[in-house]
Amino acid sequence: MCGIVAATARHDVVPLLLEGLKKLEYRGYDSAGLALLQEGRLERRRAVGRIAELEKKTDGLHGGCGIAHTRWATHGAPAERNAHPHCSDNLCVVHNGIIENHAELKTELEAAGYVFTSDTDTECIAHLINACRKDAPDLLTATRLACQRLQGAYAIAAIAASDPGRVVLARKGSPLILGIGDTGFYAASDPSALLQVTRQMVYLEDDDLADLHMDKMHICRLNGEAVERAVVTSSLSADAIELGHYRHHMQKEIFEQPEALANTLEMIGTTRALQAGLFGADAEKLFAEVDSALILACGTSYHAGMVAKYWLEAIAGVPTQVEIASEYRYRQSVPNPRQLIIAISQSGETADTLAALAHACSLGQPLTLAICNVPESAIVRQTALRFITRAGPEIGVASTKAFTTQLAALFLLTLVLAKQRGQLSAEQEAGYLAELRHLPNALREVLTLEPGIAAWAGHFASKEHALFLGRGQHYPIALEGALKLKEISYIHAEGYPAGELKHGPLALVDRGMPVIAVAPNDALLEKLKSNLQQVRARGGELYVFADRDGHLNESAIDEAGVHILCLPEHHGALSPVLHVVPLQLLAYHAALIKGTDVDKPRNLAKSVTVE
């Protein structure tokens, strides 16, 4: 979503603000802007489109205190008048999130004589802080009083000509991180924007405010009470978010998956026995109380949860539900205090997943586990247990390595629960651990299929629709493949359980509808072959990802209209981890041919921090 960068320092911060915004481009945006104090007055620049357009307007700007923003339109169309920062007299504000009572506040502020020039909810914040400033001794107090009136989610950064050299920040429901540097203090909505100046960071909590000066900082709560927050050395490095020799971040992240899996599985080393402590010091005690599981997630993480349901029920014998986070908290559910609530999120700041987790806890369900890629994130701080996937920074909007590392984490969870429930023999445990350790090498072999997949992509670029089929634990992989194709190539795609073809989707199949099948050598292969024959009988063209030892070849179906690529080996229960990678490559190469913006697809954002 939207991005924030702020700084107060003993040097010109304009280059830092612009570079920070560039590091946040992956989050998705349609306009950008900055404001800074220059020789005692506020200077603001805004532009629609890419940061390069904003950069053209910053010639001659310089100053040691400023705020900057990338906006993804929510309230009001993408237009310069709606771009941040928003100003009220001598102060400027940038904001991530949504203010739910903005209409009520706007009516009140207009009655007090404030004139609105945008369609945004953010302008209400600027005018409200300005109104509070008339009776407050400083910008911090004014911002704190204004935040007490706000309903919804926000990360706010404010500066004012009346408070030179000062940046005031506030957080509720939207991430905000402080950076401690040698020559000043900084803030951003994502640590990647701060790596250019520091790795020493402070993660604000909900209802925290921070008051930054070039030589000191102060943090307090919404009621004004001072509070201390830990300084964390970020594990990210500037090199980790650079492209290197790759054309796009998505391509880089697809090829980083073997290393990401190896890093995620590093803690199991050469052990022959799993420990519940992988998920936290209290895991063994809490897992003993578990009688079922509820997985809460969105998008790609939801598909990971769907795969995990097959594992948890088949291997661990744990009844499992998987819920779309944005739907779960708006329906009447039956709470179970012995149900393990598993929240899955790459960023750990996904608004819908955080809200669903909070809802589950409010219903009296305290057994909570986060599976997340960001150790300092909100979702990790709000759960009793956690597992950090070590995928490294994922910049491309279309998630790839986060998904495969989530699957690895969920499989480890399955084994730990199975062992604790007496469902896993020592021999089975050793076998599964060996398969997990082999995954990175198996994935490297899968990546060698890229040339053949790229050739297939040539057939897809001109298509308007595609159908992805899978059965059993590979049905969610079909869903994920369809999601990837539609996300970055804008080809309409659907994922379906292959057995459902005859119940409706078969009506869509003709020579213009490519059908992609995930066909591993498992117990459902023969059933899947029958489904594929149904496609061929209607003239549909098949693209099949099979296993080398699966005895599925062109002659097994038909010689015409069938294209098959065989993965190097079958990997049993872990097959979904391997079979999703060719689908990622297929989407990537189709998007390349179509010439779409692979890393920043239209209308989408990386970290969705608004509802």
Side-chain angles (χ1 to χ4, degrees), residues 475-542:
Y475 161 50
I477 300 305
L479 288 172
E480 178 62 11
L483 177 61
K484 287 292 157 283
L485 189 66
K486 71 181 78 169
E487 275 183 302
I488 62 170
S489 74
Y490 315 147
I491 296 171
H492 170 248
E494 287 190 64
Y496 247 88
E500 284 291 289
L501 262 180
K502 55 188 174 294
H503 296 294
L506 202 56
L508 296 171
V509 173
D510 60 18
R511 295 184 186 280
M513 166 80 86
V515 177
I516 302 94
V518 183
N521 183 27
D522 60 17
L524 292 172
L525 181 58
E526 292 303 318
K527 296 287 186 185
L528 181 61
K529 286 181 182 178
S530 174
N531 303 140
L532 301 186
Q533 287 284 12
Q534 295 169 16
V535 172
R536 288 299 303 128
R538 275 76 180 179
E541 189 138 359
L542 279 168

Side-chain angles (χ1 to χ4, degrees), residues 243-560:
L243 265 177
H245 65 276
Y246 293 98
R247 292 181 64 181
H248 300 92
H249 284 288
M250 183 180 180
Q251 182 190 30
K252 178 175 183 269
E253 288 154 14
I254 290 172
F255 279 86
E256 285 176 339
Q257 286 178 110
E259 180 183 3
L261 278 171
N263 291 338
T264 298
L265 296 169
E266 185 180 31
M267 69 285 295
I268 66 174
T270 57
T271 183
R272 291 179 58 85
L274 285 167
Q275 303 297 324
L278 289 171
F279 296 88
D282 297 326
E284 186 170 2
K285 179 181 68 174
L286 296 184
F287 285 164
E289 302 178 36
V290 169
D291 68 0
S292 59
L294 170 63
I295 297 173
L296 302 172
C298 304
T300 287
S301 296
Y302 172 70
H303 296 155
M306 290 180 70
V307 174
K309 174 181 171 71
Y310 287 92
W311 292 339
L312 285 164
E313 294 194 342
I315 298 173
V318 177
T320 302
Q321 297 171 253
V322 189
E323 295 259 8
I324 295 172
S326 59
E327 293 291 323
Y328 164 70
R329 67 185 174 117
Y330 292 115
R331 70 173 185 83
Q332 294 293 322
S333 58
V334 181
N336 174 5
R338 297 189 62 191
Q339 190 170 54
L340 179 63
I341 309 300
I342 305 167
I344 310 174
S345 169
Q346 187 280 136
S347 68
E349 304 289 351
T350 308
D352 289 320
T353 307
L354 280 166
L357 174 64
H359 178 66
C361 292
S362 73
L363 296 177
Q365 300 183 104
L367 307 178
T368 55
L369 164 67
I371 292 177
C372 181
N373 191 39
V374 182
E376 305 89 355
S377 61
I379 209 165
V380 171
R381 297 195 300 271
Q382 294 175 25
T383 51
L385 305 173
R386 74 275 310 159
F387 186 98
I388 306 302
T389 59
R390 295 174 58 192
E394 190 180 62
I395 306 301
V397 166
S399 183
T400 52
K401 61 178 179 175
F403 179 72
T404 48
T405 53
Q406 286 169 357
L407 290 179
L410 289 161
F411 196 79
L412 282 173
L413 174 65
T414 299
L415 298 184
V416 167
L417 289 173
K419 183 177 181 179
Q420 190 152 343
R421 295 163 65 89
Q423 301 286 322
L424 192 69
S425 69
E427 183 180 359
Q428 289 173 318
E429 182 180 8
Y432 282 132
L433 286 172
E435 290 179 8
L436 278 169
R437 294 187 191 104
H438 180 60
L439 263 182
N441 285 333
L443 206 48
R444 290 185 184 96
E445 291 296 314
V446 172
L447 288 168
T448 65
L449 298 177
E450 185 185 25
I453 296 168
W456 280 11
H459 299 291
F460 284 78
S462 61
K463 305 297 183 182
E464 295 182 358
H465 309 279
L467 188 62
F468 287 71
L469 302 178
R471 297 204 70 146
Q473 64 181 8
H474 293 88
Y475 161 50
I477 300 305
L479 288 172
E480 178 62 11
L483 177 61
K484 287 292 157 283
L485 189 66
K486 71 181 78 169
E487 275 183 302
I488 62 170
S489 74
Y490 315 147
I491 296 171
H492 170 248
E494 287 190 64
Y496 247 88
E500 284 291 289
L501 262 180
K502 55 188 174 294
H503 296 294
L506 202 56
L508 296 171
V509 173
D510 60 18
R511 295 184 186 280
M513 166 80 86
V515 177
I516 302 94
V518 183
N521 183 27
D522 60 17
L524 292 172
L525 181 58
E526 292 303 318
K527 296 287 186 185
L528 181 61
K529 286 181 182 178
S530 174
N531 303 140
L532 301 186
Q533 287 284 12
Q534 295 169 16
V535 172
R536 288 299 303 128
R538 275 76 180 179
E541 189 138 359
L542 279 168
Y543 297 85
V544 184
F545 291 102
D547 287 334
R548 189 164 290 167
D549 57 355
H551 311 295
L552 183 62
N553 51 50
E554 288 88 339
S555 61
I557 305 174
D558 194 345
E559 291 188 359

Side-chain angles (χ1 to χ4, degrees), residues 74-88:
T74 52
H75 293 81
E80 186 170 322
R81 66 191 182 88
N82 290 327
H84 298 212
H86 289 285
C87 296
S88 182

Side-chain angles (χ1 to χ4, degrees), residues 18 21 30-36 43-58 61 67-71 77-88 92-94 116-120 122-123 126:
L18 291 169
L21 291 184
D30 45 51
S31 61
L34 63 79
L36 74 153
E43 294 286 349
R44 177 177 63 166
R45 302 289 187 273
R46 298 182 293 177
V48 175
R50 295 306 183 196
I51 291 162
E53 298 303 313
L54 173 64
E55 205 164 8
K56 294 174 185 176
K57 297 184 175 185
T58 61
L61 279 186
I67 55 178
H69 191 265
T70 50
R71 176 180 186 258
E80 186 170 322
R81 66 191 182 88
N82 290 327
H84 298 212
H86 289 285
C87 296
S88 182
C92 280
V93 166
V94 293
F116 284 74
T117 60
S118 77
D119 306 314
T120 70
T122 301
E123 193 175 2

Side-chain angles (χ1 to χ4, degrees), residues 70-305:
T70 50
R71 176 180 186 258
W72 192 74
T74 52
H75 293 81
E80 186 170 322
R81 66 191 182 88
N82 290 327
H84 298 212
H86 289 285
C87 296
S88 182
D89 294 338
N90 72 342
L91 69 85
C92 280
V93 166
V94 293
H95 160 234
N96 291 351
I98 290 180
I99 304 304
E100 294 172 358
N101 62 333
H102 74 279
E104 171 192 332
L105 291 171
K106 182 177 181 180
T107 299
E108 176 186 322
L109 290 162
E110 284 180 326
Y114 287 95
V115 176
F116 284 74
T117 60
S118 77
D119 306 314
T120 70
D121 54 340
T122 301
E123 193 175 2
C124 286
I125 301 174
H127 291 318
L128 185 60
I129 294 174
N130 190 12
C132 292
R133 183 69 178 89
K134 297 185 189 318
D135 299 314
D138 53 35
L139 183 60
L140 173 64
T141 305
T143 304
R144 184 170 60 80
L145 293 173
C147 287
Q148 292 173 357
R149 300 283 315 280
L150 301 179
Q151 297 173 15
Y154 56 77
I156 296 167
I159 58 173
S162 60
D163 296 71
R166 190 176 202 172
V167 179
V168 172
L169 305 116
R171 176 210 160 121
K172 184 175 183 180
S174 194
L176 204 52
I177 301 112
L178 310 182
I180 303 171
D182 294 332
T183 57
F185 287 86
Y186 312 91
S189 50
D190 188 304
S192 62
L194 302 180
L195 292 175
Q196 56 180 310
V197 286
T198 184
R199 292 177 61 194
Q200 299 300 110
M201 300 185 188
V202 175
Y203 289 76
L204 295 181
E205 302 282 350
D206 278 357
D207 293 328
D208 278 355
L209 290 96
D211 187 12
L212 304 186
H213 301 255
M214 67 177 64
D215 55 0
K216 64 180 179 179
M217 74 173 184
H218 168 71
I219 302 173
C220 67
R221 301 291 286 161
L222 200 55
N223 61 6
E225 179 185 353
V227 67
E228 296 287 334
R229 296 291 179 220
V231 179
V232 177
T233 301
S234 176
S235 59
L236 294 177
S237 69
D239 291 343
I241 57 177
E242 299 299 333
L243 265 177
H245 65 276
Y246 293 98
R247 292 181 64 181
H248 300 92
H249 284 288
M250 183 180 180
Q251 182 190 30
K252 178 175 183 269
E253 288 154 14
I254 290 172
F255 279 86
E256 285 176 339
Q257 286 178 110
E259 180 183 3
L261 278 171
N263 291 338
T264 298
L265 296 169
E266 185 180 31
M267 69 285 295
I268 66 174
T270 57
T271 183
R272 291 179 58 85
L274 285 167
Q275 303 297 324
L278 289 171
F279 296 88
D282 297 326
E284 186 170 2
K285 179 181 68 174
L286 296 184
F287 285 164
E289 302 178 36
V290 169
D291 68 0
S292 59
L294 170 63
I295 297 173
L296 302 172
C298 304
T300 287
S301 296
Y302 172 70
H303 296 155

